[in-house]
Amino acid sequence: MKNIKDYNIKELKKELENLGEKPYRAEQIYKWLYKENVQTFDDMTDLSLDLRKKLKEEYTLSNFEIIEKQISKDGTVKYLFDLLDGNAIETVLMEYKHGRTICVSSQVGCKMGCKFCASTGIAFIRNLTSGEIVQQILSVEKDMDIKISNIVFMGIGEPLDNFDNVMKAIEIINSPKGLEIGARHISISTCGIVPKIYELADRDMQSTLSISLHQATDEKRSSLMPINNKYNIEELMKACKYYIEKTNKRISFEYALAKEENDNKATADELIKLLKGMLCHVNLIPINKIENRQIYKEYK
């Protein structure tokens, strides 16, 4: 069955026309999905019984099941969600002074192989659909009885490797008829898929871009991140400068600090030389012990 949450509002209107229904019903359904977060089609009480029957026959709401939920001392909540097809993903809720942030996954597994990442070692299986990406937010909001204010695409998978579905998910998240979360509260993180950075720049979206950098020379970065063998630092910086020029938005460079590896003055000088003059921010991240991978493997 088709996941009804995979459709943007225009597509859903077309689907309803194909069912012999008035297109405006799509806006009613959107309200139930994203404002009311209902769990069944029967909860959509302003729809006719006949339409609800058609929806149940043609579509699924794809509500995830919680396999495991862990709450840390700092209030961070980690979810392992069942995608209902034998696969699972992780989603993380974080509480800050500026609001609640959710870290969403974009793929089941990952192809990129970055050595420091919790996704490494989890074999790539498939992309998440746009509806599955959005469902992570809905599932957490329902479970915690809260509203999410910020979204970061930094979970399992490489967002720009699932470009079209991530873009559609952002459209639904940002839509006034959808989750109505401002684009400036949405951040996309990439390890550096250069062609998609150009494509993202040309869309001139208001969402923010984060680049996983972690080293400032090709030799060192390639040892950590295989993507650098395909798109080296020079190519990556050209794409980043194009993005900044095109959007006039600041890029955040993620830099994971590894003791006695990239936390010394020499590497700091390399980083300064590389980023000098760019409209950017460097986010220093301490590397933590990877624990999530074992949970995922035990489920698989």
Side-chain angles (χ1 to χ4, degrees):
M1 296 178 74
K2 297 176 286 186
N3 181 357
I4 199 166
K5 292 166 186 168
D6 283 338
Y7 298 96
N8 62 29
I9 192 73
K10 182 178 179 180
E11 293 168 337
L12 189 55
K13 286 180 178 181
K14 185 65 177 177
E15 287 286 308
L16 288 164
E17 284 187 276
N18 292 339
L19 291 176
E21 297 287 339
K22 298 293 185 183
Y24 76 87
R25 294 293 186 190
E27 296 189 8
Q28 290 178 289
I29 293 170
Y30 248 54
K31 181 198 74 171
W32 288 113
L33 293 177
Y34 303 115
K35 307 300 184 186
E36 303 298 332
N37 201 354
V38 298
Q39 301 300 291
T40 72
F41 288 115
D42 288 326
D43 292 329
M44 301 180 180
T45 52
D46 61 353
L47 304 183
S48 69
L49 290 174
D50 182 60
L51 176 52
R52 280 182 263 172
K53 183 174 181 290
K54 290 178 184 177
L55 293 175
K56 285 187 283 186
E57 289 172 349
E58 296 287 334
Y59 305 97
T60 175
L61 289 173
S62 190
N63 298 318
F64 295 161
E65 295 177 5
I66 299 173
I67 299 168
E68 187 164 351
K69 177 180 174 182
Q70 298 179 341
I71 303 177
S72 301
K73 291 180 181 179
D74 63 0
T76 298
V77 185
K78 296 181 181 180
Y79 289 89
L80 187 66
F81 284 124
D82 186 347
L83 297 182
L84 312 179
D85 66 349
N87 292 307
I89 53 166
E90 291 175 350
T91 307
V92 180
L93 172 68
M94 297 160 285
E95 186 93 32
Y96 298 110
K97 290 181 180 179
H98 60 266
R100 299 182 180 97
T101 296
I102 187 171
C103 177
V104 298
S105 295
S106 55
Q107 297 176 314
V108 182
C110 187
K111 306 173 187 174
M112 299 300 117
C114 302
K115 291 185 178 179
F116 52 83
C117 181
S119 299
T120 300
I122 302 174
F124 175 80
I125 297 173
R126 66 173 177 85
N127 289 327
L128 295 185
T129 69
S130 56
E132 288 173 327
I133 293 169
V134 175
Q135 184 60 47
Q136 294 171 72
I137 304 165
L138 292 170
S139 292
V140 171
E141 288 189 336
K142 190 73 174 178
D143 180 63
M144 299 291 289
D145 192 22
I146 58 170
K147 296 302 291 184
I148 302 295
S149 52
N150 302 283
I151 316 295
V152 293
F153 283 82
M154 296 182 183
I156 294 174
E158 162 57 53
L160 297 192
D161 191 42
N162 186 16
F163 190 85
D164 291 340
N165 287 333
V166 167
M167 292 300 104
K168 187 189 281 191
I170 291 175
E171 179 185 351
I172 295 168
I173 292 166
N174 182 229
S175 170
K177 298 182 186 302
L179 288 175
E180 204 174 2
I181 296 173
R184 294 184 183 186
H185 294 271
I186 302 169
S187 179
I188 303 166
S189 178
T190 178
C191 65
I193 301 182
V194 165
K196 294 302 180 182
I197 294 174
Y198 283 106
E199 191 171 341
L200 192 63
D202 289 337
R203 286 178 176 249
D204 197 19
M205 299 168 62
Q206 291 300 305
S207 54
T208 60
L209 177 64
S210 296
I211 305 291
S212 291
L213 186 61
H214 311 300
Q215 286 284 7
T217 67
D218 282 325
E219 181 181 1
K220 293 176 182 177
R221 191 167 189 262
S222 293
S223 69
L224 284 177
M225 306 176 70
I227 192 69
N228 200 72
N229 293 311
K230 186 169 185 179
Y231 305 114
N232 65 26
I233 289 179
E234 182 180 0
E235 293 176 277
L236 178 59
M237 290 301 108
K238 284 181 181 178
C240 289
K241 289 173 183 176
Y242 178 85
Y243 178 91
I244 293 168
E245 181 180 354
K246 188 79 174 179
T247 66
N248 198 33
K249 289 185 69 65
R250 183 181 72 177
I251 287 179
S252 177
F253 288 98
E254 308 292 335
Y255 196 90
L257 288 169
K259 188 176 181 180
E260 298 179 359
E261 291 289 336
N262 64 349
D263 63 344
N264 51 62
K265 186 179 184 302
T267 53
D269 289 340
E270 291 169 350
L271 187 62
I272 291 167
K273 182 179 178 181
L274 179 67
L275 302 182
K276 187 176 181 180
M278 292 180 67
L279 180 63
C280 67
H281 167 81
V282 177
N283 183 23
L284 299 179
I285 307 167
I287 291 181
N288 297 314
K289 181 181 177 181
I290 297 173
E291 297 174 344
N292 298 347
R293 193 183 303 164
Q294 187 59 37
I295 297 171
Y296 186 92
K297 285 184 175 179
E298 286 174 0
Y299 170 72
K300 292 300 290 177

